[in-house]
Amino acid sequence: MGEQVDDRLGMLMLLANLPSHPDSVPINLWNEVKGVPVNDTAERPDPIGLVRLVATARIMMPQSVVRLSAGRQYMTDELQAMCFLAGANSIFIGDVLLTTKNPQRDRDADLLDRLGITSRLA
């Protein structure tokens, strides 16, 4: 733990250069999990950097689903909206994503409605 921006870009390069692009590319925001050691020098991605990462993933892997994943409960609605505009096209909806919480379903439904995005679950 303790990835830097170059580490994230390197992972996108690795995924984009596979023989076929992955079906899903999860993009995570910094998300502290109790008991998981983290490098003290870890760089928390700034919001604009996260949006750029989403846009880069979309450009490099146009057929992949770019998912806003762990840490989304710490994202503002505005940050999530910018990520959708940059190319994210999926979120996990529900109470728990593996070891971390997701935003409440009502908050997600309100955000998607305000953005004019229709859920496949709707």
Side-chain angles (χ1 to χ4, degrees):
M1 307 297 284
E3 66 195 23
Q4 304 293 317
V5 172
D6 286 346
D7 298 318
R8 289 173 164 247
L9 292 173
M11 179 58 75
L12 291 181
M13 290 286 294
L14 182 120
L15 294 173
N17 286 299
L18 290 172
S20 60
H21 294 157
D23 292 334
S24 173
V25 179
I27 304 291
N28 300 322
L29 182 67
W30 178 272
N31 193 24
E32 292 185 36
V33 176
K34 187 176 181 177
V36 175
V38 176
N39 183 337
D40 289 337
T41 62
E43 209 179 289
R44 293 176 187 256
D46 80 296
I48 299 301
L50 187 72
V51 173
R52 287 180 175 157
L53 193 70
V54 168
T56 301
R58 171 57 54 226
I59 290 166
M60 295 173 78
M61 295 168 279
Q63 300 304 312
S64 296
V65 174
V66 178
R67 300 180 189 276
L68 297 181
S69 298
R72 201 167 56 80
Q73 75 273 23
Y74 302 115
M75 294 182 191
T76 64
D77 288 354
E78 294 80 7
L79 174 56
Q80 291 183 77
M82 288 180 64
C83 287
F84 281 119
L85 292 171
N89 58 346
S90 177
I91 58 174
F92 289 101
I93 296 177
D95 296 333
V96 177
L97 171 67
L98 299 176
T99 59
T100 62
K101 293 182 179 181
N102 277 330
Q104 297 295 317
R105 285 179 184 262
D106 292 345
R107 178 182 171 206
D108 286 336
D110 178 61
L111 174 64
L112 295 176
D113 185 54
R114 288 188 295 142
L115 294 174
I117 297 173
T118 305
S119 169
R120 287 186 186 174
L121 300 176

Tab-separated table of all heavy atoms in Angstrom, residues 50-101:
chain	number	residue	atom	x	y	z
A	50	LEU	N	-8.192	12.039	-9.767
A	50	LEU	CA	-9.066	10.879	-9.906
A	50	LEU	C	-9.878	10.983	-11.193
A	50	LEU	O	-10.028	9.995	-11.924
A	50	LEU	CB	-9.992	10.770	-8.695
A	50	LEU	CG	-10.835	9.504	-8.650
A	50	LEU	CD1	-9.972	8.293	-8.313
A	50	LEU	CD2	-11.960	9.648	-7.653
A	51	VAL	N	-10.389	12.166	-11.494
A	51	VAL	CA	-11.156	12.380	-12.729
A	51	VAL	C	-10.253	12.107	-13.937
A	51	VAL	O	-10.669	11.454	-14.902
A	51	VAL	CB	-11.741	13.803	-12.781
A	51	VAL	CG1	-12.382	14.097	-14.130
A	51	VAL	CG2	-12.762	13.999	-11.659
A	52	ARG	N	-9.026	12.575	-13.890
A	52	ARG	CA	-8.078	12.316	-14.986
A	52	ARG	C	-7.811	10.821	-15.144
A	52	ARG	O	-7.693	10.322	-16.258
A	52	ARG	CB	-6.769	13.057	-14.739
A	52	ARG	CG	-6.873	14.533	-14.949
A	52	ARG	CD	-5.545	15.201	-14.687
A	52	ARG	NE	-5.616	16.612	-15.011
A	52	ARG	CZ	-4.821	17.520	-14.509
A	52	ARG	NH1	-3.857	17.184	-13.668
A	52	ARG	NH2	-4.960	18.778	-14.852
A	53	LEU	N	-7.719	10.114	-14.024
A	53	LEU	CA	-7.490	8.667	-14.075
A	53	LEU	C	-8.664	7.965	-14.757
A	53	LEU	O	-8.473	7.072	-15.589
A	53	LEU	CB	-7.280	8.139	-12.659
A	53	LEU	CG	-6.732	6.737	-12.547
A	53	LEU	CD1	-5.281	6.692	-13.008
A	53	LEU	CD2	-6.841	6.241	-11.113
A	54	VAL	N	-9.882	8.372	-14.420
A	54	VAL	CA	-11.081	7.807	-15.056
A	54	VAL	C	-11.047	8.085	-16.558
A	54	VAL	O	-11.285	7.194	-17.376
A	54	VAL	CB	-12.366	8.376	-14.416
A	54	VAL	CG1	-13.598	8.038	-15.249
A	54	VAL	CG2	-12.523	7.867	-12.987
A	55	ALA	N	-10.742	9.323	-16.932
A	55	ALA	CA	-10.702	9.687	-18.355
A	55	ALA	C	-9.621	8.882	-19.088
A	55	ALA	O	-9.844	8.421	-20.216
A	55	ALA	CB	-10.440	11.186	-18.508
A	56	THR	N	-8.494	8.700	-18.445
A	56	THR	CA	-7.404	7.923	-19.062
A	56	THR	C	-7.833	6.473	-19.267
A	56	THR	O	-7.607	5.895	-20.329
A	56	THR	CB	-6.140	8.000	-18.179
A	56	THR	OG1	-5.767	9.374	-18.032
A	56	THR	CG2	-4.989	7.227	-18.798
A	57	ALA	N	-8.485	5.895	-18.254
A	57	ALA	CA	-8.972	4.518	-18.389
A	57	ALA	C	-9.972	4.410	-19.533
A	57	ALA	O	-9.929	3.469	-20.336
A	57	ALA	CB	-9.612	4.054	-17.074
A	58	ARG	N	-10.875	5.377	-19.638
A	58	ARG	CA	-11.889	5.351	-20.706
A	58	ARG	C	-11.246	5.427	-22.084
A	58	ARG	O	-11.609	4.704	-23.000
A	58	ARG	CB	-12.880	6.516	-20.500
A	58	ARG	CG	-13.849	6.753	-21.626
A	58	ARG	CD	-14.719	5.553	-22.017
A	58	ARG	NE	-15.435	5.012	-20.899
A	58	ARG	CZ	-15.514	3.697	-20.637
A	58	ARG	NH1	-14.939	2.804	-21.411
A	58	ARG	NH2	-16.187	3.264	-19.601
A	59	ILE	N	-10.254	6.309	-22.243
A	59	ILE	CA	-9.578	6.468	-23.534
A	59	ILE	C	-8.794	5.212	-23.888
A	59	ILE	O	-8.829	4.745	-25.029
A	59	ILE	CB	-8.655	7.702	-23.520
A	59	ILE	CG1	-9.505	8.983	-23.479
A	59	ILE	CG2	-7.708	7.711	-24.714
A	59	ILE	CD1	-8.732	10.231	-23.130
A	60	MET	N	-8.099	4.651	-22.913
A	60	MET	CA	-7.244	3.493	-23.167
A	60	MET	C	-8.024	2.204	-23.368
A	60	MET	O	-7.557	1.308	-24.073
A	60	MET	CB	-6.252	3.312	-22.006
A	60	MET	CG	-5.263	4.454	-21.882
A	60	MET	SD	-4.247	4.314	-20.397
A	60	MET	CE	-3.079	3.063	-20.924
A	61	MET	N	-9.198	2.100	-22.731
A	61	MET	CA	-9.989	0.863	-22.795
A	61	MET	C	-11.453	1.209	-23.059
A	61	MET	O	-12.305	1.103	-22.181
A	61	MET	CB	-9.819	0.082	-21.482
A	61	MET	CG	-8.394	-0.398	-21.283
A	61	MET	SD	-8.049	-1.007	-19.621
A	61	MET	CE	-7.765	0.547	-18.747
A	62	PRO	N	-11.747	1.642	-24.280
A	62	PRO	CA	-13.082	2.172	-24.582
A	62	PRO	C	-14.234	1.186	-24.416
A	62	PRO	O	-15.374	1.602	-24.196
A	62	PRO	CB	-12.961	2.648	-26.032
A	62	PRO	CG	-11.776	1.946	-26.584
A	62	PRO	CD	-10.864	1.665	-25.439
A	63	GLN	N	-13.980	-0.111	-24.501
A	63	GLN	CA	-15.058	-1.094	-24.369
A	63	GLN	C	-15.225	-1.614	-22.946
A	63	GLN	O	-16.195	-2.311	-22.657
A	63	GLN	CB	-14.810	-2.276	-25.321
A	63	GLN	CG	-14.748	-1.874	-26.786
A	63	GLN	CD	-16.001	-1.130	-27.241
A	63	GLN	OE1	-17.120	-1.562	-26.988
A	63	GLN	NE2	-15.801	-0.004	-27.899
A	64	SER	N	-14.291	-1.288	-22.056
A	64	SER	CA	-14.373	-1.755	-20.669
A	64	SER	C	-15.371	-0.925	-19.875
A	64	SER	O	-15.617	0.242	-20.184
A	64	SER	CB	-13.003	-1.649	-19.986
A	64	SER	OG	-12.059	-2.496	-20.599
A	65	VAL	N	-15.935	-1.541	-18.857
A	65	VAL	CA	-16.779	-0.829	-17.911
A	65	VAL	C	-15.838	-0.185	-16.890
A	65	VAL	O	-15.065	-0.880	-16.247
A	65	VAL	CB	-17.772	-1.788	-17.211
A	65	VAL	CG1	-18.546	-1.076	-16.122
A	65	VAL	CG2	-18.708	-2.417	-18.228
A	66	VAL	N	-15.871	1.120	-16.773
A	66	VAL	CA	-15.032	1.840	-15.806
A	66	VAL	C	-15.902	2.105	-14.582
A	66	VAL	O	-16.868	2.856	-14.649
A	66	VAL	CB	-14.464	3.147	-16.399
A	66	VAL	CG1	-13.652	3.894	-15.350
A	66	VAL	CG2	-13.612	2.848	-17.629
A	67	ARG	N	-15.550	1.445	-13.487
A	67	ARG	CA	-16.383	1.464	-12.279
A	67	ARG	C	-15.791	2.342	-11.190
A	67	ARG	O	-14.626	2.186	-10.840
A	67	ARG	CB	-16.503	0.057	-11.690
A	67	ARG	CG	-17.109	-0.956	-12.607
A	67	ARG	CD	-17.182	-2.323	-11.916
A	67	ARG	NE	-17.568	-3.364	-12.838
A	67	ARG	CZ	-18.816	-3.648	-13.168
A	67	ARG	NH1	-19.808	-2.949	-12.655
A	67	ARG	NH2	-19.091	-4.615	-14.015
A	68	LEU	N	-16.603	3.216	-10.627
A	68	LEU	CA	-16.217	3.910	-9.403
A	68	LEU	C	-16.437	2.905	-8.285
A	68	LEU	O	-17.553	2.435	-8.081
A	68	LEU	CB	-17.076	5.153	-9.183
A	68	LEU	CG	-16.957	6.246	-10.233
A	68	LEU	CD1	-17.853	7.425	-9.863
A	68	LEU	CD2	-15.521	6.704	-10.380
A	69	SER	N	-15.366	2.576	-7.578
A	69	SER	CA	-15.437	1.473	-6.620
A	69	SER	C	-15.173	1.941	-5.190
A	69	SER	O	-15.781	2.894	-4.737
A	69	SER	CB	-14.457	0.377	-7.046
A	69	SER	OG	-14.816	-0.120	-8.313
A	70	ALA	N	-14.251	1.285	-4.514
A	70	ALA	CA	-14.009	1.543	-3.091
A	70	ALA	C	-13.675	3.009	-2.834
A	70	ALA	O	-13.000	3.660	-3.621
A	70	ALA	CB	-12.879	0.649	-2.594
A	71	GLY	N	-14.184	3.503	-1.727
A	71	GLY	CA	-13.937	4.884	-1.347
A	71	GLY	C	-14.976	5.860	-1.845
A	71	GLY	O	-14.906	7.056	-1.570
A	72	ARG	N	-15.967	5.346	-2.564
A	72	ARG	CA	-16.964	6.244	-3.144
A	72	ARG	C	-17.785	6.975	-2.087
A	72	ARG	O	-18.269	8.082	-2.309
A	72	ARG	CB	-17.868	5.449	-4.093
A	72	ARG	CG	-18.581	6.304	-5.099
A	72	ARG	CD	-19.209	5.473	-6.191
A	72	ARG	NE	-20.118	4.471	-5.717
A	72	ARG	CZ	-21.386	4.712	-5.356
A	72	ARG	NH1	-21.873	5.922	-5.438
A	72	ARG	NH2	-22.154	3.732	-4.931
A	73	GLN	N	-17.889	6.389	-0.896
A	73	GLN	CA	-18.646	7.054	0.167
A	73	GLN	C	-17.976	8.350	0.606
A	73	GLN	O	-18.593	9.195	1.243
A	73	GLN	CB	-18.879	6.123	1.368
A	73	GLN	CG	-17.668	5.890	2.249
A	73	GLN	CD	-16.793	4.749	1.775
A	73	GLN	OE1	-16.799	4.380	0.608
A	73	GLN	NE2	-16.022	4.191	2.683
A	74	TYR	N	-16.702	8.527	0.246
A	74	TYR	CA	-15.985	9.762	0.573
A	74	TYR	C	-16.005	10.775	-0.577
A	74	TYR	O	-15.492	11.864	-0.441
A	74	TYR	CB	-14.533	9.454	0.940
A	74	TYR	CG	-14.421	8.499	2.103
A	74	TYR	CD1	-13.877	7.238	1.934
A	74	TYR	CD2	-14.895	8.854	3.361
A	74	TYR	CE1	-13.785	6.356	3.000
A	74	TYR	CE2	-14.813	7.979	4.424
A	74	TYR	CZ	-14.259	6.724	4.243
A	74	TYR	OH	-14.181	5.854	5.289
A	75	MET	N	-16.576	10.383	-1.710
A	75	MET	CA	-16.638	11.286	-2.860
A	75	MET	C	-17.867	12.192	-2.747
A	75	MET	O	-18.951	11.731	-2.395
A	75	MET	CB	-16.753	10.506	-4.166
A	75	MET	CG	-15.559	9.686	-4.530
A	75	MET	SD	-15.874	8.875	-6.130
A	75	MET	CE	-14.507	7.739	-6.197
A	76	THR	N	-17.692	13.447	-3.092
A	76	THR	CA	-18.840	14.341	-3.166
A	76	THR	C	-19.666	13.973	-4.395
A	76	THR	O	-19.175	13.306	-5.321
A	76	THR	CB	-18.398	15.809	-3.288
A	76	THR	OG1	-17.697	15.957	-4.538
A	76	THR	CG2	-17.516	16.240	-2.126
A	77	ASP	N	-20.891	14.433	-4.414
A	77	ASP	CA	-21.723	14.231	-5.604
A	77	ASP	C	-21.068	14.879	-6.820
A	77	ASP	O	-21.117	14.341	-7.919
A	77	ASP	CB	-23.122	14.807	-5.394
A	77	ASP	CG	-23.961	13.976	-4.437
A	77	ASP	OD1	-23.516	12.885	-4.020
A	77	ASP	OD2	-25.073	14.429	-4.101
A	78	GLU	N	-20.454	16.040	-6.603
A	78	GLU	CA	-19.813	16.754	-7.713
A	78	GLU	C	-18.642	15.959	-8.277
A	78	GLU	O	-18.460	15.890	-9.501
A	78	GLU	CB	-19.345	18.141	-7.249
A	78	GLU	CG	-20.472	19.085	-6.870
A	78	GLU	CD	-21.039	18.862	-5.468
A	78	GLU	OE1	-20.486	18.054	-4.682
A	78	GLU	OE2	-22.048	19.507	-5.152
A	79	LEU	N	-17.854	15.334	-7.407
A	79	LEU	CA	-16.733	14.523	-7.875
A	79	LEU	C	-17.243	13.320	-8.662
A	79	LEU	O	-16.725	12.997	-9.734
A	79	LEU	CB	-15.850	14.069	-6.718
A	79	LEU	CG	-14.720	13.095	-7.071
A	79	LEU	CD1	-13.816	13.661	-8.166
A	79	LEU	CD2	-13.913	12.741	-5.833
A	80	GLN	N	-18.283	12.671	-8.153
A	80	GLN	CA	-18.840	11.529	-8.882
A	80	GLN	C	-19.391	11.963	-10.236
A	80	GLN	O	-19.205	11.268	-11.237
A	80	GLN	CB	-19.919	10.840	-8.044
A	80	GLN	CG	-19.339	10.126	-6.833
A	80	GLN	CD	-20.398	9.384	-6.067
A	80	GLN	OE1	-20.826	8.320	-6.496
A	80	GLN	NE2	-20.827	9.948	-4.944
A	81	ALA	N	-20.048	13.120	-10.270
A	81	ALA	CA	-20.576	13.630	-11.540
A	81	ALA	C	-19.444	13.867	-12.527
A	81	ALA	O	-19.547	13.500	-13.706
A	81	ALA	CB	-21.354	14.924	-11.306
A	82	MET	N	-18.348	14.466	-12.065
A	82	MET	CA	-17.198	14.698	-12.952
A	82	MET	C	-16.630	13.375	-13.457
A	82	MET	O	-16.237	13.262	-14.624
A	82	MET	CB	-16.131	15.518	-12.232
A	82	MET	CG	-16.530	16.967	-12.028
A	82	MET	SD	-15.277	17.946	-11.174
A	82	MET	CE	-13.933	17.875	-12.349
A	83	CYS	N	-16.593	12.361	-12.593
A	83	CYS	CA	-16.091	11.048	-13.012
A	83	CYS	C	-16.991	10.427	-14.079
A	83	CYS	O	-16.499	9.840	-15.045
A	83	CYS	CB	-15.956	10.120	-11.808
A	83	CYS	SG	-14.571	10.518	-10.715
A	84	PHE	N	-18.310	10.568	-13.921
A	84	PHE	CA	-19.222	10.066	-14.957
A	84	PHE	C	-19.010	10.807	-16.265
A	84	PHE	O	-18.975	10.196	-17.339
A	84	PHE	CB	-20.686	10.187	-14.519
A	84	PHE	CG	-21.135	9.113	-13.565
A	84	PHE	CD1	-21.591	9.439	-12.297
A	84	PHE	CD2	-21.100	7.774	-13.934
A	84	PHE	CE1	-22.011	8.458	-11.423
A	84	PHE	CE2	-21.512	6.778	-13.060
A	84	PHE	CZ	-21.974	7.126	-11.797
A	85	LEU	N	-18.848	12.110	-16.211
A	85	LEU	CA	-18.604	12.890	-17.425
A	85	LEU	C	-17.266	12.529	-18.071
A	85	LEU	O	-17.117	12.620	-19.287
A	85	LEU	CB	-18.654	14.385	-17.117
A	85	LEU	CG	-20.035	14.922	-16.738
A	85	LEU	CD1	-19.934	16.353	-16.232
A	85	LEU	CD2	-20.993	14.827	-17.914
A	86	ALA	N	-16.301	12.103	-17.249
A	86	ALA	CA	-14.977	11.734	-17.757
A	86	ALA	C	-14.952	10.322	-18.323
A	86	ALA	O	-13.984	9.946	-18.976
A	86	ALA	CB	-13.935	11.866	-16.642
A	87	GLY	N	-16.000	9.527	-18.075
A	87	GLY	CA	-16.027	8.202	-18.676
A	87	GLY	C	-16.396	7.052	-17.773
A	87	GLY	O	-16.540	5.922	-18.234
A	88	ALA	N	-16.557	7.288	-16.471
A	88	ALA	CA	-17.030	6.205	-15.608
A	88	ALA	C	-18.454	5.861	-16.028
A	88	ALA	O	-19.227	6.750	-16.376
A	88	ALA	CB	-16.994	6.624	-14.142
A	89	ASN	N	-18.770	4.579	-16.012
A	89	ASN	CA	-20.120	4.201	-16.412
A	89	ASN	C	-20.706	3.092	-15.534
A	89	ASN	O	-21.586	2.366	-15.948
A	89	ASN	CB	-20.174	3.818	-17.892
A	89	ASN	CG	-19.242	2.688	-18.258
A	89	ASN	OD1	-18.354	2.328	-17.507
A	89	ASN	ND2	-19.436	2.136	-19.439
A	90	SER	N	-20.183	3.008	-14.295
A	90	SER	CA	-20.712	2.009	-13.384
A	90	SER	C	-20.348	2.369	-11.949
A	90	SER	O	-19.289	2.938	-11.692
A	90	SER	CB	-20.135	0.627	-13.729
A	90	SER	OG	-20.575	-0.347	-12.810
A	91	ILE	N	-21.254	2.033	-11.039
A	91	ILE	CA	-20.979	2.099	-9.610
A	91	ILE	C	-21.532	0.825	-8.991
A	91	ILE	O	-22.394	0.163	-9.576
A	91	ILE	CB	-21.616	3.335	-8.929
A	91	ILE	CG1	-23.128	3.359	-9.133
A	91	ILE	CG2	-20.954	4.617	-9.388
A	91	ILE	CD1	-23.856	4.472	-8.374
A	92	PHE	N	-21.018	0.474	-7.836
A	92	PHE	CA	-21.586	-0.634	-7.081
A	92	PHE	C	-22.643	-0.047	-6.158
A	92	PHE	O	-22.378	0.886	-5.418
A	92	PHE	CB	-20.510	-1.344	-6.258
A	92	PHE	CG	-19.546	-2.128	-7.091
A	92	PHE	CD1	-18.299	-1.622	-7.389
A	92	PHE	CD2	-19.898	-3.377	-7.574
A	92	PHE	CE1	-17.414	-2.345	-8.155
A	92	PHE	CE2	-19.013	-4.115	-8.348
A	92	PHE	CZ	-17.769	-3.593	-8.640
A	93	ILE	N	-23.842	-0.594	-6.222
A	93	ILE	CA	-24.935	-0.135	-5.376
A	93	ILE	C	-25.239	-1.242	-4.375
A	93	ILE	O	-25.354	-2.400	-4.737
A	93	ILE	CB	-26.187	0.197	-6.210
A	93	ILE	CG1	-25.889	1.368	-7.140
A	93	ILE	CG2	-27.377	0.501	-5.312
A	93	ILE	CD1	-27.025	1.755	-8.061
A	94	GLY	N	-25.354	-0.874	-3.145
A	94	GLY	CA	-25.631	-1.845	-2.093
A	94	GLY	C	-24.923	-1.433	-0.825
A	94	GLY	O	-24.205	-0.435	-0.788
A	95	ASP	N	-25.122	-2.213	0.203
A	95	ASP	CA	-24.610	-1.836	1.509
A	95	ASP	C	-23.094	-1.957	1.637
A	95	ASP	O	-22.450	-1.118	2.235
A	95	ASP	CB	-25.270	-2.675	2.599
A	95	ASP	CG	-26.767	-2.413	2.667
A	95	ASP	OD1	-27.179	-1.301	2.291
A	95	ASP	OD2	-27.503	-3.316	3.077
A	96	VAL	N	-22.532	-3.029	1.110
A	96	VAL	CA	-21.115	-3.281	1.353
A	96	VAL	C	-20.415	-3.704	0.064
A	96	VAL	O	-20.951	-4.470	-0.726
A	96	VAL	CB	-20.936	-4.388	2.415
A	96	VAL	CG1	-19.479	-4.712	2.626
A	96	VAL	CG2	-21.560	-3.966	3.731
A	97	LEU	N	-19.203	-3.177	-0.116
A	97	LEU	CA	-18.340	-3.573	-1.225
A	97	LEU	C	-17.142	-4.251	-0.585
A	97	LEU	O	-16.236	-3.585	-0.097
A	97	LEU	CB	-17.903	-2.341	-2.020
A	97	LEU	CG	-16.827	-2.552	-3.070
A	97	LEU	CD1	-17.358	-3.431	-4.200
A	97	LEU	CD2	-16.358	-1.230	-3.626
A	98	LEU	N	-17.166	-5.566	-0.532
A	98	LEU	CA	-16.102	-6.346	0.106
A	98	LEU	C	-15.898	-5.890	1.548
A	98	LEU	O	-16.678	-6.217	2.401
A	98	LEU	CB	-14.817	-6.281	-0.717
A	98	LEU	CG	-14.932	-6.830	-2.136
A	98	LEU	CD1	-13.635	-6.631	-2.898
A	98	LEU	CD2	-15.321	-8.291	-2.141
A	99	THR	N	-14.868	-5.102	1.816
A	99	THR	CA	-14.570	-4.714	3.201
A	99	THR	C	-14.960	-3.276	3.518
A	99	THR	O	-14.705	-2.797	4.610
A	99	THR	CB	-13.075	-4.880	3.484
A	99	THR	OG1	-12.341	-4.065	2.564
A	99	THR	CG2	-12.645	-6.323	3.358
A	100	THR	N	-15.541	-2.573	2.571
A	100	THR	CA	-15.875	-1.167	2.800
A	100	THR	C	-17.342	-0.903	2.498
A	100	THR	O	-17.989	-1.654	1.775
A	100	THR	CB	-15.006	-0.236	1.919
A	100	THR	OG1	-15.272	-0.515	0.550
A	100	THR	CG2	-13.529	-0.427	2.206
A	101	LYS	N	-17.841	0.184	3.041
A	101	LYS	CA	-19.236	0.550	2.832
A	101	LYS	C	-19.404	1.325	1.531
A	101	LYS	O	-18.483	1.960	1.047
A	101	LYS	CB	-19.725	1.412	3.992
A	101	LYS	CG	-19.788	0.667	5.300
A	101	LYS	CD	-20.320	1.555	6.395
A	101	LYS	CE	-20.403	0.777	7.690
A	101	LYS	NZ	-20.924	1.590	8.779
